[in-house]
Amino acid sequence: MMTLAIIILLALALYVFSRCVARRVPTMLSEVYYLADKDWLFPTLMVALGASFLPLMLSKGGLECMAFLTCVGIIFVGAAPAYLDESQRTIHKCGAITSAIASVAWACSINALPTVLFAALAAVLCIWKRRYWLFIVECCAILNIVTTLFI
């Protein structure tokens, strides 16, 4: 299962990077959906990422309810990627916010050190590139989950 999660994560990273090169750096991760002309790949990768992380996070331990909320939030972001559309905005935002808060709680319940280090990294990068603060924080949050899974 770990191998599948890594493949999905790498596919998402390459996809986001390709959109950054082809178009521009997004102000938030979900903007990639629009930079890719609303294609199916971003939502599919987000749903797959949430689904593949869930068993890994649950087996790692910690606050299992937070692991569940993290992954369900990621899945909701993928299921409702068109955050500019009024019909999907609430689902998307609730999923993103829930996932963000729950991921920090889950990671801290395992080991707070990576979370503190990624928060410091995010703070420095956000000061350097203020326009991209949300994109930076979202990427650091995903990296925090991955790092916590591997320690």
Side-chain angles (χ1 to χ4, degrees):
M1 195 60 167
M2 180 70 81
T3 305
L4 178 62
I6 291 169
I7 290 169
I8 294 167
L9 181 65
L10 289 174
L12 178 63
L14 288 171
Y15 183 69
V16 170
F17 181 74
S18 72
R19 295 296 88 211
C20 291
V21 170
R23 303 287 294 268
R24 62 177 171 78
V25 177
T27 56
M28 64 179 152
L29 191 57
S30 297
E31 191 177 350
V32 169
Y33 175 70
Y34 291 101
L35 293 176
D37 299 321
K38 301 178 184 178
D39 77 5
W40 57 271
L41 196 51
F42 177 76
T44 303
L45 288 170
M46 291 301 288
V47 169
L49 186 70
S52 67
F53 273 10
L54 184 58
L56 299 173
M57 291 172 73
L58 290 174
S59 68
K60 186 73 174 181
L63 293 172
E64 291 178 349
C65 61
M66 293 297 127
F68 178 78
L69 289 173
T70 297
C71 295
V72 168
I74 293 170
I75 291 169
F76 278 149
V77 166
Y83 63 89
L84 295 177
D85 184 338
E86 190 67 40
S87 66
Q88 293 187 26
R89 180 176 302 138
T90 302
I91 296 167
H92 186 95
K93 286 176 75 173
C94 287
I97 292 167
T98 299
S99 182
I101 294 168
S103 71
V104 170
W106 174 79
C108 285
S109 74
I110 303 291
N111 184 346
L113 183 59
T115 304
V116 171
L117 295 175
F118 278 110
L121 174 64
V124 169
L125 292 174
C126 288
I127 291 168
W128 180 45
K129 295 288 186 181
R130 285 190 179 110
R131 178 170 186 223
Y132 305 106
W133 72 270
L134 188 52
F135 180 69
I136 292 166
V137 168
E138 290 171 329
C139 290
C140 284
I142 291 172
L143 291 173
N144 184 39
I145 293 169
V146 173
T147 302
T148 303
L149 283 171
F150 282 113
I151 58 171

